[in-house]
Amino acid sequence: MIYIYSFILNIIILFSPIIILIRILNKKEDPNRFLEKFAFFSKKRKKGKLIWFHTVSVGELKSAIPIIRCLEKDNKVSQILVTTTTLSSSKMFNNFKFKKTIHQFFPIDNNYITRRFLKYWHPDLAIFVDSEIWPNMLKNLKNKSIKKILLNARISERSFKKWKTIGSFSKTLFQSFDFCYPQNKESLIYLKKFGIKNIKYLGNLKFIQDEINHNYLDSEFKNFIKSKKIWAAVSTHPGEENICAEIQNELIKTYKNLVLILIPRHINR
């Protein structure tokens, strides 16, 4: 299965210049940093212990921030590397004034590219947040005997059924993690079915209170919503905001003080 997966990825890489160009034109790719995805780095690896966090996008990155802040204070840790895949998450990362934490884009999960990535960074610990499963990266981490953690792990019934269709390959991937911390009881049950040994339920890290979650709303807005009834459309995609607006227009006829808060999935929208 790994060979089929790698073959498909190699085909995609052949067309990657076109894909990257389209993404740049659509403002979904950083024109100055896209080469990081091919393991050409814009930051340097410092000497000493390096902890690596891989988070997909904004939500996963925010959930890891409290832990990163703690590690920033740990004198035994020389550097913290954070990788993400989206442009919006890289922009959000710049809002944090870290001293020893840097950001790079996650490399394409090609065997050669991931080996190049690990040779350069050589993390002492790799922490994957949420549901990030990358076969070639996990295989090469195992080959280098680098410890791996699946943090705030999430797997639904639907995704579990999808993973089951590839049989023992999925078990091999999940069992490659040295430790696994699911974010809910459902994920705990399904992860156990993959035969993971070191697993412990911690709950959802996104609910951890941190300064980034504190209420920084200005007083004018606070006064505006004080006497309002509020409903929110969270993590919306194109077209869904229009539906919510139509619903709001109907609801406001009955509930005069109703306010709709829209929170798009991608912050650039």
Side-chain angles (χ1 to χ4, degrees):
M1 182 60 71
I2 187 68
Y3 298 109
I4 297 174
Y5 170 79
S6 296
F7 175 76
I8 294 172
L9 264 180
N10 290 337
I11 296 298
I12 293 173
I13 288 175
L14 289 175
F15 294 95
S16 62
I18 299 173
I19 297 171
I20 292 292
L21 179 60
I22 293 172
R23 288 179 60 83
I24 289 174
L25 292 174
N26 290 327
K27 297 182 179 181
K28 292 183 178 181
E29 203 75 57
D30 189 328
N32 300 313
R33 294 181 56 194
F34 70 88
L35 286 176
E36 292 172 15
K37 296 186 175 183
F38 296 88
F40 292 94
F41 313 105
S42 60
K43 301 289 185 180
K44 290 185 177 181
R45 207 265 198 221
K46 293 181 179 179
K47 292 182 180 179
K49 188 174 184 179
L50 183 143
I51 307 296
W52 169 35
F53 285 84
H54 174 54
T55 66
V56 188
S57 191
V58 172
E60 294 78 18
L61 174 58
K62 288 177 70 174
S63 68
I65 291 299
I67 300 174
I68 293 172
R69 290 193 187 280
C70 290
L71 291 172
E72 279 259 323
K73 300 173 184 177
D74 190 339
N75 294 327
K76 295 179 181 178
V77 178
S78 300
Q79 194 172 27
I80 303 166
L81 171 66
V82 172
T83 58
T84 63
T85 58
T86 64
L87 185 58
S88 57
S89 56
S90 70
K91 290 180 178 178
M92 194 196 80
F93 177 86
N94 293 329
N95 295 328
F96 301 102
K97 306 303 178 183
F98 293 124
K99 293 181 178 179
K100 56 185 178 182
T101 304
I102 60 172
H103 174 272
Q104 297 281 268
F105 285 108
F106 186 77
I108 297 171
D109 194 42
N110 165 271
N111 186 48
Y112 170 76
I113 293 174
T114 54
R115 283 192 285 115
R116 179 183 168 89
F117 176 91
L118 294 175
K119 183 179 180 180
Y120 183 86
W121 293 108
H122 197 80
D124 294 272
L125 176 65
I127 302 173
F128 292 76
V129 181
D130 211 305
S131 54
E132 283 296 274
I133 308 296
W134 296 100
N136 279 314
M137 182 63 82
L138 291 175
K139 179 191 72 174
N140 288 318
L141 280 165
K142 185 177 181 179
N143 291 341
K144 284 185 170 291
S145 300
I146 297 171
K147 294 289 185 182
K148 303 173 294 301
I149 292 175
L150 185 57
L151 184 66
N152 212 39
R154 174 174 57 88
I155 180 167
S156 63
E157 181 181 6
R158 183 179 178 182
S159 59
F160 175 73
K161 288 179 179 178
K162 287 182 178 180
W163 280 111
K164 278 191 70 177
T165 59
I166 54 177
S168 60
F169 181 60
S170 59
K171 283 191 175 182
T172 301
L173 289 175
F174 282 98
Q175 289 176 12
S176 69
F177 287 99
D178 298 279
F179 300 95
C180 185
Y181 301 97
Q183 63 175 248
N184 53 48
K185 295 293 179 68
E186 180 186 36
S187 298
L188 175 67
I189 293 170
Y190 291 129
L191 287 168
K192 281 185 175 180
K193 290 183 178 181
F194 284 126
I196 300 174
K197 293 181 180 179
N198 296 320
I199 183 169
K200 184 176 181 180
Y201 173 64
L202 292 181
N204 197 330
L205 293 182
K206 291 181 180 179
F207 299 143
I208 292 178
Q209 291 298 312
D210 186 69
E211 63 181 82
I212 62 171
N213 294 321
H214 286 178
N215 187 356
Y216 288 121
L217 300 179
D218 60 67
S219 57
E220 185 179 352
F221 186 70
K222 286 181 182 178
N223 291 331
F224 171 73
I225 64 172
K226 188 178 294 183
S227 60
K228 305 289 185 182
K229 290 183 174 164
I230 298 171
W231 70 287
V234 181
S235 194
T236 57
H237 293 80
E240 294 175 346
E241 292 91 353
N242 292 336
I243 296 171
C244 294
E246 290 173 4
I247 294 172
Q248 170 70 5
N249 286 337
E250 291 300 315
L251 290 174
I252 201 72
K253 295 175 182 177
T254 304
Y255 306 96
K256 302 299 181 182
N257 63 341
L258 185 67
V259 172
L260 164 62
I261 297 179
L262 290 171
I263 307 175
R265 174 69 181 90
H266 298 104
I267 57 176
N268 62 297
R269 297 184 57 245

